[in-house]
Each structure stands twice: as C-alpha cells, then as structure tokens.
Amino acid sequence: MAIQILMPALSPTMTDGKLSKWLKAEGDTVASGDLLAEIETDKATMEVEAVDEGILGKIIVPEGTEGVLVNAPIAIILEEGESAADIDDVAAAPAPAPQPATEAAPAQATAAPATAPVASEADYDGPMVNITVREALRDAMAEEMRADENVFLIGEEVAQYQGAYKISQGLLDEFGDKRVIDTPITEIGFTGLSVGAAFSGLKPIVEFMTFNFSMQAIDHIINSAAKTLYMSGGQMGCPIVFRGANGAASRVGAQHSQCYASWYAHCPGLKVVAPWSAVDAKGLLKASIRDPNPVIFLENEILYGASFDVPDDPDFTVPIGKAKIERAGADVTIVAFSIMVGKALEAAELLAAEGIEAEVINLRTLRPLDTETIVNSVKKTNRLVSVEEGWPVAGMGAEMAAIMMEQAFDYLDAPVVRVCGEDIPMPYAANLEALSLPKPDGIAAAAKSVCYR
Amino acid sequence: MTKVCEFEIHYTRFLDSEGHIASPLPLFADDSNALKALYRWMVLTRSFDARAVALQRTGRLGTFASSLGQEAVSVGAAAAMNDDDVLVPSFREQGALIVRGVPYKQQFLYWGGDERGSVYENNCQDFPNSIPVGSHAPHAAGAAMAMKLRGEKRAVLCLFGDGATSKGDVYEAMNIAGIWKLPVVFVINNNQWAISISRDKQTAAETLAQKAIAVGIGGEQVDGNDVIAVRHVVGKALERARSGKGPHLVEALTYRLTDHTTADDASRYRDENTVAAHWKEDPVARLRTYLNENAGWGKNDEEHLLETAAAEIEEAAQAYLNEPPQPPQSMFDFLFATVPPELSRQRDEVIRRVAEGGDNG
C-alpha cells in the first residue's frame, strides 16, 4: 500500500517548518536511508531521510512552502507494483496518529498560545499589528538600537546564526558585527565583559541561550551588575539587560529546564521582568533597555511562536513594576507570570463554566512587585491562588503568601494556595515532564478549593 | 614527530637587587625627575599602608590589605598609564590609586566602609577596587570593548594577583580580549601568596605569563621589584594596546612582605627567614640606592620626603576620622538609579526608627 510521508518534527518544540528543497523527484526510486528533502525550522536546516523503500509517487507539498505543519503529509511513496492510481486512496485515508516525537511535547504547552486571548493595553488606541513573541522581542531590540547607538546585542549564536531561537533575525544585517556580537562559549567572559562595558556607559543586551547558562555567570550578575552602583556610592551604574529563555522548555531535561524567577527576584539591585504576551515582550523589553539599572528579562521558549496583537508604535512601552489584570473577576484572584498567565486564563475559562469568576493578574514584573494591584484584587475577591512553573520552596508563591499575611490578612477568606511545578528536577521522560508542570485543570481545582467548592 | 610551534617567555629587569644597573635603562629613565616621582609614589604608598594598618589595629578601619613590598608593581604599572586610560584594580593596589590621584582620604573612607570612598573626582572612569578575586578581569575587557567600539585610542590596565590566574574569569577575559584584540593590559601582581597558598601550589605552570600563550596574546615577565622595569614593560604594552595591537599579559614577580590582610597572620604558614630574605629585594630601597648613586638623591631629600609623606597621610587620616558618618538612610540611596517605592518605604522606616531612638544607626 502507498505510504504517506509526514512532515517530521525536528525538535520537540517545532510546530511547523519550511520545506525548502526536494532532493528526489517524482518517479525516483527511494531506498531506506536516502535523503528525501531539506526542511528548515526556526533553528536549523535538516535533511529528511526515507524510512521505507519504493518510488516517490507524488510530492504533495512543493519545495519552498513555508509553514508546513508537523505531521502534515508531504509526499507519497509507492511500493513495488503500485501505480499513481493508488495515490488517491492514501490521500483520502484518515490522518495517522502523531509520531512519537510530537507526542513528546506536552499538548497544552503548544496549545496555550493558540487559545490565549489577545492582550491589549487599555490606554492605547493606535494601530495594532499581529506578531509573534519572537518578532516582538526582535522589534523591541531593533527599535532601541536604532534610537540609541550605545545599545548592542551580545551572546552565543546571536549574530551569524540569528539566535539559537532566532530572536535576533535580521539584526546583524541592519546593525553590523560591532553591535550584534557573537561570542565564544564563555558565559563568564561575555557576561563580565558586558558588565564592564555597561560600567563604561554602553547599554548591552546580553542574550543567554537559555537562562540555565546564566548560572555560570551569576557572580557577575549579582555581585557586579546589581551591586556596583550601591558599592561605588552612586558612581558607577550598570544599564544592562540579561535576556533569554527561562523555565521549562520541552524535552530538554533537568539541567536545561528550570525557572530562575525566584533566584533573581531575591536579589536587591536587580529588576526582574517576565513577559507573557507579545505586548509584554515588546513593551517590557523596550522599557528594560531604557532602564538605567540591570534588568533580568525572563522569556519562555514555548511562547516564542505565539502571536498577539501589539501596538504598532515605537514609542509604546510597558512600565516595569506594574502588573496587568488580564481578566477581571470577583470570586478569586489568580496571579501568574510568563507562560502560566495563559494557563491561568484557561483555568479561568473552566471556572467560568462552573459559575466562578476568576481575576487573572499577569505580574509582568517580579521585582519590584506590583503588590498594590495584587492586594487591591484580593480585597475584592478575598482569595488568592499563585501559579508558577518553578519550584515551591522559597518561590514567588511563597512571596505572594507572605504579602497576603502582611498586607491583606484581614481580607482573606481562605488560605493562599500555591500551584507550582513539582519539587523535583525536570524529568526528561515526556509523560513525567507533563505531569510535573501546572496545568489549567490543576489551577482551576486550586481556585475552587479556596472558594470552598 | 614535528615541532608545530614554540614559545618563549621573556623577563625584563634593569636594576639588580642592590639598585645597580643590570642592563641599559629605558629612555624615560634619563629623566631623573620621572624616577623621583616613582620613588615618591612608592614611599607614599608605604606610608599609607602603615597608617591604614595602624588605624585598623586601633579599631578605626575595616579589614585592610597592605601592599608592603609590592609598591613597584602598583606604582610602576599605573605610572605607565595615560590620564584617559582606565584602571581596573584589585584590592591591593593603593599605589596605583595614589598615582591616579585618588585622595588618601577617599581611600581611608573606602576601607572604613564608607561608599563615598569610591566617588572618584579626579578619575571618574577608573573602576572601584574589586574585592572578589579576578571577577574584574572580564569587566576590564568590557571597558576595553567600549573604547574599541567608540574608536578611542585609550587602553585599560587591569591588575590582579597570582591567585586570580587560577580563576576561569581571568582565562575567559584574556581569551575574549585576544579574539577581539581589545585594548587591555592584564598585569599579574605575583606576590607568591594567595593568603596561605604559595605560588607552587597555585598552578603547575612554570610561569604565570605563559597563560597568555594559551589564548594567543603576548605574555612576559618583569621584575616586579624594579619599578623602572614595570613602568617600561607595562608602558610598552599599553602603547601597543592603544594602537590597536591587542591585549597583553605581564607577570610582575614580587613578594608579599606582610600578612595577606589585617585579618591574617602569615607567621602561621610561612617561614620568617624566607620573608626576611625577601627584604633584600625591597623595591623602595632598590630605587633609593639608584637615585643616591645616579641622581644626587641625598639624605636631606630623603628626610624631607618621609616627613612630607607622613604629614600628608596623617592629614588625610585625620580628615577621614573627622568625617561625619553617612546618615542611616543612605544605605538605600544608591541601589537603583531612582529609589523604587518599596525601598522608599523601608528608607522612611529607618529614618523613623532612628528618629525615635529605637536604633542608633
């Protein structure tokens, strides 16, 4: 029987890619292991090998097609004795079950961006543009680099390769290699160097391929960037942004999958920002680059491809230190940041179906925290659920609970509940990984419990 | 087997231990006033160290790291700088700070725990002391990158000790500076001791200068007790850096004649006789002998210098002691460019607490 060739997933987080080139033509004989096509993702170009033997009967997706979804049929291979007439049967057959590689990605992780509501800023009435978080980050950097020649981007793979996650696409072409700078694998080196450049009046944007690698350089972030203005009696400031993917990605294992929010939020002298939407990403990154203090900018790999409507205005920024009520509600307050905002909004939908109106607060900034917005919300709802992907011990949820004790104790009708990642290193096994992260139903259950329902 | 490449480490010294000419002096040494200036800075450094240790021993200064015996490295290297170069020092380089014009009072304030001590009016682009070992080496590379991006003909001088060369920070800084040809000169003030760990226990490398070879930059040794040699070698390296020829590593060999800091007692881990032997290499005495024999430096000159140095330092020490402490709320003022609301609330709280006498600050 004729066999469909499906668009393969070349990485755990890949949702679609470009079929850049066919290496076989219709009618060619194909042996197992033959190279069939070249596929391009946001990260890499890779070759696809044939698994089965036969004749390339039909090319369904022509070369040059972009946005080919993972698992979409791209070609048909005919077995010996079959003819092109057999092809229609195959095409009409129901789509096969997903390949193991895509099962590995937690379903809700990729679904979240698609179902996430569009964010918009209440005080903006200009034109909007629909862009991904990835594009928002790139646009924010490009706009600030155009506006201020002291701003530059530095990190591993940021220039020639345009970013390990393709955040810096086009920046090398526009700004040249003096301002978009590839480094050797030297986190201490390029972080410390950038801190020194910031001490000298430049405004570096340091990209960590992921925040896991910031651990190599954390001494420079905390002991040097965060403390030198203080220790020099106000003489030597450090206008710098440390940005990159933070938190659980997908199928990258314990050492490449963890949330640094509470690590950095703990430290005086730093500002810590965690965007969720493309609005957050663009507005907060622009504000972070303009800020005269060191800013930790925690992105999320899974959100990079999510699209949102964003104000189309280079003057639009989102203030650091202000939370945003993404959804108003009177029954329970859910605070979240980064990817968990989307989960919390999904949970709010589940709760609404049961007659519970949740107020979802996107924290946006973790230091300094907008306690006023949180406390005011709890004064209304009398209940708080804190959601984070990271570990519970000494996490952001612990801080939320403490704030409630200190500033809203008399307003609480139920104990604060924390929804966190499991207190373990991230499992690599797909089923265990999915189990260890907060999900909308768990958040909804926590919200119901504080509503005594 | 084929020899692929070969490297050499050169060593420079002009004056021997007795202060006699060991090899022809560099051109700048023709100017006896330049040498007298170096001598004066070394004497001032020694006086400052002595006064600072005395202040610490009487409870009026925090922990302090004396540079006794190492004055030639600190002074010679800084003297090779142009005014608009940038100094990135470690915590034992008061000689360099003195050369750079940082007032003694500022330095006393710094070691007394007053952050105003780092407010450099004369050289506002110089970096404050790095207390963490070696983490300022990448910062120095960063300052050099800023110069390079701006197209300036300036250079950075970064000083650290032998212990710092075992740190990844120093390697990574030199490596990245080498790739990008940054205008930075790293000077190892090799005093043979990292607290109680002697140089031979720090690394199996025969020299510290050879660490330059691994990262593809120039490296050499200099007699760190010969201030003329330090001034000359570092000066050449800075000049090369300013003209776009990239970074350089200088290992200055000297000896720590005193404790690591005032919190240390070196007699517990090293032989006093060895220390006594190293006094024969004393950089101050060495240049004094040279000046006596070649530049008409006489007894009166010496006495006058010691008197004026002691008086200058004493005046600064008194000014430091008479400086009113910063108000308690000052501890919140410089954490961020502008004080955020939550910190402002804590600041107000401290003011209130002190006003009510609940905390004398």
Side-chain angles (χ1 to χ4, degrees):
Chain A
M1 180 186 162
I3 300 159
Q4 278 190 339
I5 304 205
L6 305 179
M7 181 74 167
L10 301 180
S11 75
T13 50
M14 173 176 167
T15 54
D16 62 85
K18 177 181 175 183
L19 206 162
S20 46
K21 193 174 179 189
W22 280 104
L23 302 170
K24 295 275 182 189
E26 285 181 4
D28 283 0
T29 304
V30 177
S32 175
D34 280 1
L35 298 179
L36 285 177
E38 274 181 15
I39 288 176
E40 213 175 299
T41 69
D42 55 2
K43 289 181 188 166
T45 300
M46 296 187 199
E47 285 156 339
V48 180
E49 291 181 14
V51 180
D52 304 287
E53 292 178 325
I55 293 161
L56 186 58
K58 185 176 181 184
I59 287 174
I60 300 171
V61 176
E63 64 182 27
T65 307
E66 300 201 29
V68 182
L69 293 175
V70 167
N71 285 331
I74 56 173
I76 291 167
I77 291 196
L78 302 172
E79 287 180 41
E80 205 175 328
E82 289 178 328
S83 72
D86 299 307
I87 290 172
D88 290 344
D89 299 344
V90 178
Q99 299 286 343
T102 44
E103 274 180 12
Q108 84 281 4
T110 43
T115 57
V118 169
S120 66
E121 295 299 293
D123 53 349
Y124 178 82
D125 58 1
M128 304 291 278
V129 58
N130 190 264
I131 56 173
T132 61
V133 169
R134 173 180 285 113
E135 290 164 330
L137 295 167
R138 189 266 321 273
D139 291 351
M141 290 192 284
E143 286 172 15
E144 294 308 301
M145 287 174 77
R146 278 174 212 133
D148 184 347
E149 63 176 13
N150 287 316
V151 179
F152 68 95
L153 175 66
I154 186 168
E156 290 156 356
E157 309 289 354
V158 299
Q160 203 67 40
Y161 195 72
Q162 316 212 56
Y165 297 101
K166 297 290 177 244
I167 303 301
S168 48
Q169 286 185 71
L171 296 185
L172 176 64
D173 286 346
E174 180 174 351
F175 299 102
D177 60 7
K178 279 191 170 172
R179 295 180 68 195
V180 183
I181 304 167
D182 274 333
T183 71
I185 303 178
T186 178
E187 281 85 10
I188 292 173
F190 71 73
T191 306
L193 174 136
S194 300
V195 168
F199 289 159
S200 302
L202 297 182
K203 296 179 180 173
I205 305 168
V206 179
E207 176 174 312
F208 290 116
M209 192 178 289
T210 75
F211 257 92
N212 301 287
F213 310 138
S214 78
M215 274 198 290
Q216 319 291 327
I218 200 164
D219 175 56
H220 287 278
I221 298 172
I222 292 168
N223 273 326
S224 299
K227 293 182 186 169
T228 298
L229 183 66
Y230 175 77
M231 293 186 70
S232 66
Q235 286 303 287
M236 188 167 272
C238 193
I240 192 167
V241 177
F242 302 102
R243 51 156 289 269
N246 172 66
S250 180
R251 301 304 315 284
V252 289
Q255 291 154 327
H256 286 96
S257 206
Q258 56 203 317
C259 178
Y260 288 89
S262 73
W263 290 52
Y264 288 112
H266 185 61
C267 300
L270 294 176
K271 294 188 177 182
V272 182
V273 169
W276 164 61
S277 69
V279 179
D280 299 353
K282 184 169 183 194
L284 283 168
L285 184 53
K286 286 169 70 75
S288 299
I289 294 167
R290 293 180 191 184
D291 199 285
N293 304 288
V295 180
I296 302 286
F297 194 89
L298 302 168
E299 298 160 10
N300 185 288
E301 182 190 335
I302 291 163
L303 292 174
Y304 281 149
S307 296
F308 296 82
D309 283 340
V310 175
D312 189 14
D313 178 353
D315 291 329
F316 175 79
T317 62
V318 169
I320 294 173
K322 292 282 174 217
K324 184 184 176 198
I325 297 172
E326 296 286 354
R327 175 189 175 118
D331 298 330
V332 56
T333 300
I334 304 177
V335 293
F337 56 94
S338 187
I339 191 168
M340 286 298 137
V341 175
K343 309 286 180 216
L345 288 167
E346 286 182 58
E349 290 295 324
L350 298 175
L351 291 165
E354 299 189 40
I356 297 172
E357 287 306 322
E359 180 145 300
V360 176
I361 297 177
N362 173 3
L363 289 174
R364 283 185 163 173
T365 301
L366 307 178
R367 175 185 268 270
L369 261 176
D370 182 4
T371 48
E372 190 183 353
T373 296
I374 305 163
V375 168
N376 285 343
S377 175
V378 170
K379 283 180 179 174
K380 181 173 67 175
T381 64
N382 312 110
R383 292 160 174 88
L384 183 74
V385 172
S386 167
V387 186
E388 69 192 300
E389 202 178 54
W391 298 309
V393 179
M396 291 306 300
E399 182 65 21
M400 293 301 142
I403 289 169
M404 290 300 103
M405 295 289 278
E406 290 168 351
Q407 298 186 41
F409 185 72
D410 290 337
Y411 293 93
L412 288 175
D413 285 346
V416 174
V417 170
R418 291 182 284 174
V419 180
C420 302
E422 298 297 335
D423 201 9
I424 50 167
M426 183 60 69
Y428 186 56
N431 60 327
L432 301 181
E433 182 185 67
L435 277 172
S436 71
L437 292 168
K439 288 181 214 40
D441 56 353
I443 299 167
K448 280 168 74 175
S449 78
V450 298
C451 294
Y452 301 111
R453 300 237 332 235
Chain B
M1 212 157 64
T2 322
K3 185 183 283 179
V4 178
C5 45
E6 203 172 9
F7 301 98
E8 289 178 341
I9 295 296
H10 294 272
Y11 173 83
T12 301
R13 136 190 273 198
F14 296 116
L15 296 184
D16 65 18
S17 306
E18 277 78 48
H20 301 137
I21 297 173
S23 61
L25 298 188
L27 208 56
F28 83 86
D30 288 352
D31 176 5
S32 66
N33 286 331
L35 298 186
K36 286 173 190 169
L38 291 173
Y39 182 67
R40 181 170 177 274
W41 280 321
M42 287 200 291
V43 167
L44 283 162
T45 303
R46 190 161 285 188
S47 304
F48 177 84
D49 278 343
R51 193 71 184 92
V53 170
L55 284 169
Q56 193 280 335
R57 292 288 185 243
T58 50
R60 293 178 291 174
L61 200 77
T63 301
F64 179 77
S66 167
S67 64
L68 184 67
Q70 303 171 230
E71 296 89 345
V73 180
S74 209
V75 165
M81 297 174 73
N82 286 349
D83 285 348
D84 66 349
D85 290 339
V86 166
L87 175 70
V88 183
S90 67
F91 55 80
R92 202 194 298 279
E93 305 296 350
Q94 38 276 18
L97 270 61
I98 289 170
V99 173
R100 296 294 283 171
V102 178
Y104 312 111
K105 181 187 161 191
Q106 298 273 117
Q107 299 196 52
F108 284 130
L109 280 170
Y110 176 86
W111 291 108
D114 190 325
E115 311 297 7
R116 289 174 296 185
S118 290
V119 180
Y120 295 167
E121 284 159 14
N122 297 345
N123 304 289
C124 59
Q125 292 195 333
D126 284 356
F127 284 27
N129 290 332
S130 178
I131 301 296
V133 171
S135 68
H136 59 308
H139 305 163
M145 189 179 80
M147 292 171 179
K148 186 165 180 172
L149 286 179
R150 290 169 173 149
E152 299 167 342
K153 286 204 180 304
R154 303 163 65 195
V156 177
L157 174 69
C158 181
L159 291 154
F160 45 79
D162 41 310
T165 63
S166 297
K167 290 207 61 165
D169 295 65
V170 169
Y171 172 80
E172 295 193 27
M174 293 197 301
N175 185 56
I176 209 163
I179 303 164
W180 295 342
K181 284 197 156 194
L182 300 179
V184 54
V185 175
F186 302 103
V187 174
I188 307 166
N189 194 332
N190 177 3
N191 68 11
Q192 314 296 334
W193 292 94
I195 309 186
S196 71
I197 299 300
S198 55
R199 160 64 184 82
D200 60 325
K201 294 196 176 90
Q202 194 64 240
T203 171
E206 197 172 343
T207 70
L208 300 180
Q210 75 198 56
K211 299 202 168 208
I213 293 165
V215 296
I217 69 175
E220 63 187 296
Q221 284 189 328
V222 64
D223 183 341
N225 290 339
D226 176 358
V227 71
I228 298 174
V230 175
R231 162 77 179 72
H232 175 71
V233 167
V234 174
K236 276 198 308 179
L238 284 168
E239 192 44 54
R240 279 195 300 270
R242 287 184 209 108
S243 61
K245 296 196 174 102
H248 199 74
L249 177 66
V250 177
E251 177 189 4
L253 294 150
T254 180
Y255 196 84
R256 197 187 83 206
L257 290 173
T258 185
D259 300 329
H260 167 65
T261 66
T262 49
D264 174 45
D265 175 7
S267 68
R268 292 185 174 208
Y269 53 79
R270 65 179 189 183
D271 179 21
E272 295 289 341
N273 293 329
T274 315
V275 179
H278 276 280
W279 268 102
K280 292 181 183 143
E281 306 281 334
D282 175 13
V284 178
R286 190 185 298 195
L287 186 59
R288 186 193 310 127
T289 305
Y290 176 82
L291 292 175
N292 284 338
E293 294 178 359
N294 300 279
W297 184 263
K299 193 164 172 262
N300 290 344
D301 297 314
E302 180 70 14
E303 281 173 2
H304 178 69
L305 173 59
L306 292 178
E307 272 171 32
T308 52
E312 275 183 52
I313 303 288
E314 188 52 34
E315 188 187 350
Q318 291 306 321
Y320 154 68
L321 293 170
N322 292 329
E323 182 74 22
Q326 296 210 77
Q329 66 269 24
S330 69
M331 65 178 147
F332 299 102
D333 289 346
F334 300 121
L335 187 57
F336 293 99
T338 50
V339 184
E342 173 56 22
L343 212 55
S344 188
R345 193 192 60 71
Q346 293 177 40
R347 188 179 185 278
D348 293 344
E349 173 71 13
V350 165
I351 293 170
R352 187 190 60 75
R353 222 163 65 206
V354 173
E356 288 175 1
D359 192 334
N360 61 16

